[in-house]
Structure formats: C-alpha cells, structure tokens
Amino acid sequence: MQADSQPTASEPSTRTPYCVGQWMPSDQAVLNTWLEKIHARAEDQTGPLLPAVQQLKTLIETDATAYMVFAQMFDQVPARRKKSPSGLPQVRDYEHMLRLFNVIMTEAPEYNDTGVVGFPFNAILDWSMDTVGGWAGFLNDKVNAHLRAMLNEWAVFLRSPQSTQVLNDKPPSGWFCPDALKHMPHFAEEFQCDPAKPHYGFTSWDDFFTRRFRDGVRPVAAPDDDAVIVNACESAPYRLADNVQARDKFWIKAQPYALQFMMDNDPLAGEFAGGTVYQAFLSALSYHRWHASVSGRIVKTRLIPGTYYSETLAEGADPAGPNDSQGYIAELATRALIYIQADNPAIGLMCFMPVGMAEVSTCDITVYEGQHVQKGDELGMFHFGGSTHCLFFRPGVNLKFDLHGQKPGLDSNNIPVRSRIATVLRG
C-alpha cells in the first residue's frame, strides 16, 4: 500500500481543535450561551417528562447498575469543571440531565458561525463522558437501548414540518442567513432546492440534512476505469492503516483497529485480516449520503446496534468528544456493514462501514443483497448528520492512496465524494 500523503499509517493529530467537523462550537463562550439557554428552559419546565425521557429515568431509578453509573458520572467530574469558564453551572446530576434532554427533544440545531451545537445531547454529557462512571455507563446495553429509543423519538421531530423553524434566512441562527451561506457557498447551485420556496423547499430538518447534490455536481472519477477507487462520502481523511489484525487492544491510546469487533464477529471478517483500513470523518456542513467506491455486487448488508456516547479513557478529556475516539468507536458504536464483491478481481471483496457518533447514529442502507451497483451509486445515508466511516480491503490488494496532498488526522479537510482516493496497482 502506498499513499501520496507520505505515511501508510497515521495516528490522529496531537493537536485536537475544539470544533472538529463543526459539530460543536470552536468558541467556548458560544457553547456556554447555548447551554445557558437550555438550562433556563429546563428550570422553567415543571411538567412531566416526555415518554422516552421518562423511560430512561425509570431505568436509572430501577436498575442498580444504571443508577450507580449515572450517579458516578456526575460525581466524578473534577471540581475544577463544576463551572464553565463563564461561571455557568454544569449538569448537576441525572435528574438535571433528563430535564435538559427534555428541552432538546423538540428543538432542531441552529446555525452558529463558529460551529453548530450539532451534538446537543453530547454537549450536555461532554464532561461526564470521560469519567469512569461515564465510560462504564455508556457501554451498558440497557442504557444504550434507552438512549436509542430517546434519539429515535428526537428523529421523529427532526423529520416533522415543525423542525423547519431553523431553516430561514434570519441572522445569526438561520441556516440560510448570510453568515451560514458563506460556509456553504453556491448552495442553491449545488444542491437540489428552491430558494424561492419557504425553507428552500425542504420539508423538515432531516430533509435539509440529507439533501442531494444536483446532477453533475460531484462527477465520478474515471467511471470506466475499475482500477480507480472513489471516495464513499464527502469526508476528511482520519487514518490509513495496513496489516490490520483480527483482534487488538482498541481501547488503548493508539486505538489500533480490531477487525473481529469492528465487523461484530461477522463470518466475512476473516477475509480482511492483514488487510487495509481507510477511515474518514464528515463535518456538520457535509453532504451525508454514502456512495459505492467500486462497481460490483452487494454481497451482504448488516445494521449493528451499539454505543452512543462511549469514548476511550486513554484519550483523557476530549472537549469535542468523541472525535478523539474515532478508532475506538469503530469497534463499539452503532454502525452498518455493506460488503461489495468488486467487478475488478484485483480488488475482490471489499466493505464499506458507516459509523454513528453520538446522536448521529441512524445508518440507513438503501441497497439490497444481490444488487449490482456502479461506482458512485448511492448506498445509503446518515440521518441527522455525518459521523465517520471505514473502507476495508483484503490483504494482497495493492493500493496507492491519493489523499489530495493531506496527511490523515483531525486537521484534514474534505475530499469530494466520488473523487479518486486510491488506485489498484496491478502486478
């Protein structure tokens, strides 16, 4: 395996920006202001919790393990973090957390010039995630089942007409205000929409976030050359690793990949032992549909339920969490597998794996087993946002990667979807 960006394997950058992919504001004061607003609304709410939030409360108060970890994760936040730099109190306990969740359940993310609060639940849990209690709690199957139910209910709101309230041109928080459009230049020319219609023609927040490019905006690189592999998502290179093992200590600082766990003990996982994994992440402003990197037949698809807010303790405090834990969550988080038998025998069986991060965890597969796809065809999408994804290649597939002059890591920039990212070298 070769990479035009020099390294054949790369660890994440040692300098982690607060706002990776613009999912959280780069300006702490902006996050404080948002939290202050949510805190105030939670204090004003005295009515019952929404059913999905109440069900999580019931679990915490009736399950000994859940009660213990949700008590610990807030008690273990260091004293120096009990208040933010602006003096705003942080989440006090699980009851306070649930009240804050209750507010968010009927709100769509607003635009912010320094980065949206695109992970609102994550923002509330941010300081408790890297405690021992948080680490244990967010690995708990019962806890994750209830988080999944709650986030699914939020997704119902994000698909409703009411969620279009943020799709307006009013500064500073409307998604079509002048500041927002500076970060999404040529939006109307690139995406299927109608600026003359209310909300640009989008019917919900989810409709806006899963928007499609207009025909021809992202052409397929070398469509007739099956040696050229294209980018599956509008994404930034995170890591490139070869000789990946079936099992490894993925929770340690280096977060090495462990194929058996990434693929959830799938019988096909053994095909990729000793092979290559390429991982890349999406930003809040990215296009969120997935596309086939190669032409071939869909051999198998799977959805794997998993964690939502678990991050590796080895990274310590991760203010943009779980961005520093992208290697780790590839083994644990909610994800999908799409195996493709490439038409090019020099590639053979390969696999695409979208991975949910925090509340961005709905993996929607739109292809079926036995279907033949052409390079660049749509495979599915993330609902509400982006996350991260991996491409798997078997050992012996000789790849020359083209990362567009970049070194993989958290400081990299998006490579357009359907652009060349690698070439298979014959012989």
Side-chain angles (χ1 to χ4, degrees):
M1 180 185 68
Q2 301 176 42
D4 288 355
S5 58
Q6 311 272 319
T8 57
S10 173
E11 298 305 329
S13 168
T14 56
R15 183 184 70 78
T16 306
Y18 182 73
C19 166
V20 176
Q22 294 181 290
W23 287 110
M24 298 269 274
S26 54
D27 185 345
Q28 178 66 37
V30 171
L31 182 59
N32 292 339
T33 299
W34 178 85
L35 281 169
E36 198 163 29
K37 178 179 70 173
I38 300 301
H39 277 242
R41 291 183 187 174
E43 295 297 332
D44 289 342
Q45 283 191 357
T46 57
L49 298 172
L50 294 168
V53 182
Q54 177 61 49
Q55 288 164 14
L56 176 58
K57 184 176 190 288
T58 300
L59 173 74
I60 294 171
E61 294 180 343
T62 59
D63 184 276
T65 300
Y67 181 75
M68 177 175 62
V69 295
F70 272 95
Q72 287 179 331
M73 71 174 65
F74 296 109
D75 289 345
Q76 291 171 351
V77 173
R80 69 182 184 278
R81 290 186 175 184
K82 293 301 182 183
K83 288 190 176 182
S84 71
S86 66
L88 176 69
Q90 296 302 319
V91 184
R92 298 186 294 268
D93 50 37
Y94 77 84
E95 291 182 288
H96 189 203
M97 172 197 75
L98 293 168
R99 281 288 167 190
L100 296 171
F101 284 176
N102 210 55
V103 172
I104 295 169
M105 291 287 286
T106 53
E107 293 195 355
E110 296 178 337
Y111 173 78
N112 185 279
D113 204 36
T114 70
V116 300
V117 184
F119 284 168
F121 294 88
N122 195 124
I124 288 166
L125 298 171
D126 206 22
W127 284 359
S128 55
M129 284 166 62
D130 68 330
T131 65
V132 173
W135 175 76
F138 296 127
L139 288 174
N140 183 283
D141 287 343
K142 291 182 182 178
V143 169
N144 279 301
H146 279 76
L147 288 172
R148 183 180 309 115
M150 187 178 68
L151 294 172
N152 283 342
E153 281 302 308
W154 188 46
V156 172
F157 170 76
L158 295 178
R159 293 189 181 105
S160 73
Q162 288 74 24
S163 66
T164 59
Q165 59 191 325
V166 297
L167 302 180
N168 59 66
D169 59 4
K170 298 175 183 177
S173 58
W175 277 94
F176 304 121
C177 75
D179 284 343
L181 292 177
K182 285 179 186 176
H183 294 281
M184 299 184 294
H186 314 298
F187 185 91
E189 292 81 10
E190 291 186 343
F191 293 100
Q192 296 180 23
C193 64
D194 185 350
K197 292 183 178 180
H199 319 298
Y200 273 51
F202 295 110
T203 58
S204 68
W205 165 260
D206 184 72
D207 187 33
F208 164 69
F209 230 79
T210 58
R211 58 192 179 269
R212 296 176 183 273
F213 280 118
R214 295 188 185 275
D215 291 344
V217 170
R218 290 290 187 270
V220 179
D224 299 322
D225 186 350
D226 63 7
V228 173
I229 296 168
V230 300
N231 201 15
C233 299
E234 190 95 349
S235 54
Y238 174 73
R239 183 180 290 178
L240 183 56
D242 58 4
N243 194 29
V244 176
Q245 301 303 301
R247 289 185 295 277
D248 214 327
K249 296 180 180 179
F250 61 87
W251 57 89
I252 63 176
K253 185 74 173 177
Q255 299 175 51
Y257 294 124
L259 286 168
Q260 179 178 325
F261 304 123
M262 296 174 85
M263 294 181 163
D264 194 41
N265 299 300
D266 194 276
L268 293 175
E271 295 277 339
F272 300 93
T276 300
V277 174
Y278 168 70
Q279 184 170 2
F281 62 93
L282 289 78
S283 76
L285 303 180
S286 289
Y287 167 80
H288 296 97
R289 293 174 183 263
W290 324 322
H291 292 262
S293 290
V294 300
S295 296
R297 180 175 57 86
I298 306 296
V299 173
K300 184 177 184 179
T301 67
R302 279 188 62 190
L303 290 172
I304 304 170
T307 64
Y308 294 90
Y309 299 102
S310 182
E311 62 182 27
T312 176
L313 288 173
E315 287 294 340
D318 179 2
N323 281 296
D324 276 343
S325 298
Q326 287 190 62
Y328 165 85
I329 65 172
E331 277 81 5
L332 295 169
T334 297
R335 57 204 185 277
L337 298 172
I338 301 178
Y339 294 96
I340 303 175
Q341 183 69 36
D343 291 344
N344 185 344
I347 300 173
L349 186 69
M350 60 87 64
C351 183
F352 167 75
M353 183 180 78
V355 183
M357 290 171 62
E359 44 261 43
V360 188
S361 293
T362 302
C363 296
D364 183 5
I365 299 172
T366 58
V367 290
Y368 56 88
E369 294 177 4
Q371 179 181 352
H372 187 275
V373 293
Q374 293 298 125
K375 182 169 59 176
D377 285 355
E378 183 181 303
L379 299 177
M381 72 199 80
F382 290 114
H383 285 278
F384 180 51
S387 289
T388 189
H389 71 283
C390 296
L391 296 177
F392 300 83
F393 299 94
R394 296 174 305 115
V397 179
N398 190 7
L399 299 167
K400 178 180 175 61
F401 277 86
D402 176 4
L403 302 185
H404 297 227
Q406 301 187 86
K407 180 178 179 180
L410 292 174
D411 292 323
S412 61
N413 296 308
N414 276 355
I415 296 172
V417 66
R418 295 171 165 171
S419 294
R420 179 197 303 259
I421 57 164
T423 303
V424 183
L425 304 178
R426 305 180 190 278

